[in-house]
Amino acid sequence: MPYLLRKFGLLLFTLWVAVTLNFILPRLVPGDPVASMMARYQGQLTPVAAAALRIAYGLDNHSSAVQQYFTYLSNLLHGDFGRSVSQFPTPVRDVIAQAAPWTIGLIGTCTILSFLIGSLLGLYSAWKRGARLADAMPPIALFLNSMPYQLLALMLVYAFALQRSVFPLSGNLDAFIGDAFTPKWWSSLLRHAALPAITIVVTSVGGWLITMRNNVIGVLGEDYLAFARAKGLSDRRILNRYVLRNALLPSLTSFGMALGFVVGGSILVETVFSYPGLGYYLYTSVVALDYPLMQALFLVIAAAVLIANFIVDALYTVLDPRVRDGKST
C-alpha cells in the first residue's frame, strides 16, 4: 500500500505539471486562436467580435496570467476545454467525445492484439531456439518493426483500395449507413477498419516479439531455472510458472506506455486513411492552429499515459511480491 500511495502521489504531481505546461506553452507561441480565426475569415470578424472571442478563449488582456491560470484550472475541473477553432463553435469536449471511441476501438484493439501475438511468438522463438521457424522469426520481426507506418499504409491503400476496391479508401463508415450496431453497420465498420488495423498490427508486432524473445533468453540463463530442472519439473510447468511470468514483467511497463498512447491514436495511420480518431484531429489541429483542441488532446494523452502506468504499477504489486513487500521498486 505505501508503494501505491507513493505512485499515486507522483501521478498527481506529474499530472499537475502537465496541466501547467499545457497552459504555459501555447501562450509562448506567436499568435493566438483569435488571430488564427481572423486570418481564416479574412477580416470578416469585427473588433467587437474579436474581443468577445478573446474573453471566450481566456485570452482577455484585462486579466493577469495568474487569473487566467486559475480560470483554466477551474474550467478543466468542470470538463470545459473551450471551443475548437477549426470546428467553431463546437466545444472541444464534443470533438474529443466524438473521436475517442473510434481511436480507442481501433488503436486499443490493435495494440492489445500486437502485444499478445508478438509476446507469444517471442516466447516460442526463444523457447524453441535452434528450430528453423523459431530462428527465422527475429529477422522478419526486425524488418517489420523497422517498416514505416505510412509506407505500409500507402501500399495497402494502393493494392486493396485503389486497384481492387476490396476495402474502402478512407473514413470509418459508409455514408447513410442507417442505425448503429446493426449487421450492416458492423460490416461497414470492420471493412473501414481492416486496412488501418493490418498496418498497425504488422508494423508493431515485431517489436513485441523481439522484446519478449530477449526477456525469455535472459530468464533462461537464470540459476533458478537450472534448479527447477534439477528438481525434475516438467518443461510445461517451468515455462508457465517461471519463464513466462518473469519474462513478461519487463514488457508490462512498455505495454502500459503503449496503452496510454492509444488515446493519442496512431497519427500517421489515421491521417493516411482519414480515419476520424483523436490522432487525425491532433494532426488537423496542428495544421489549423487550433490551440484549444491541441491543448486538450495533449492533456488527454498525458493523463492517459500516467493512468496507464499507475495501473501497471498496481499490477506489479500482484505479479511481483518483491514490490508488494517493499524490497524492490
Side-chain angles (χ1 to χ4, degrees), residues 145-324:
N145 192 54
S146 62
M147 179 178 293
Y149 282 107
Q150 66 271 27
L151 176 60
L152 180 59
L154 291 173
M155 291 170 58
L156 292 176
V157 167
Y158 179 78
F160 297 103
L162 291 176
Q163 292 294 314
R164 294 179 176 83
S165 300
V166 177
F167 296 105
L169 186 61
S170 61
N172 59 334
L173 288 171
D174 293 327
F176 312 109
I177 194 63
D179 295 334
F181 307 115
T182 61
K184 183 179 179 182
W185 185 90
W186 280 109
S187 174
S188 177
L189 181 146
L190 292 175
R191 286 191 302 105
H192 281 79
L195 293 184
I198 293 171
T199 301
I200 296 169
V201 172
V202 168
T203 54
S204 58
V205 72
W208 296 116
L209 189 155
I210 296 297
T211 300
M212 189 63 176
R213 185 177 188 273
N214 292 338
N215 292 343
V216 172
I217 291 175
V219 171
L220 290 176
E222 296 291 341
D223 293 336
Y224 58 81
L225 281 188
F227 181 70
R229 290 192 177 95
K231 289 175 62 178
L233 298 180
S234 65
D235 286 346
R236 182 183 181 88
R237 185 171 183 182
I238 292 174
L239 179 64
N240 294 332
R241 185 175 179 84
Y242 297 100
V243 176
L244 180 59
R245 184 170 183 174
N246 288 283
L248 194 60
L249 284 174
S251 296
L252 280 180
T253 301
S254 299
F255 182 58
M257 292 285 290
L259 283 181
F261 281 111
V262 160
V263 177
S266 183
I267 298 176
L268 293 175
V269 173
E270 290 188 359
T271 302
V272 170
F273 292 101
S274 297
Y275 196 82
L278 294 175
Y280 176 76
Y281 280 108
L282 179 59
Y283 168 76
T284 57
S285 68
V286 173
V287 173
L289 298 179
D290 190 343
Y291 297 122
L293 181 55
M294 202 188 312
Q295 273 186 289
L297 288 173
F298 283 141
L299 184 58
V300 169
I301 293 170
V305 172
L306 291 172
I307 293 172
N309 276 277
F310 178 76
I311 294 174
V312 169
D313 289 332
L315 287 176
Y316 264 103
T317 64
V318 176
L319 298 175
D320 192 346
R322 297 172 299 172
V323 173
R324 184 173 60 247

Side-chain angles (χ1 to χ4, degrees), residues 50-74:
L53 286 172
R54 290 187 184 278
I55 295 174
Y57 284 109
L59 301 171
D60 184 14
N61 294 329
H62 297 293
S63 59
S64 65
V66 175
Q67 289 175 321
Q68 292 180 21
Y69 176 69
F70 282 105
T71 301
Y72 172 72
L73 291 181
S74 176

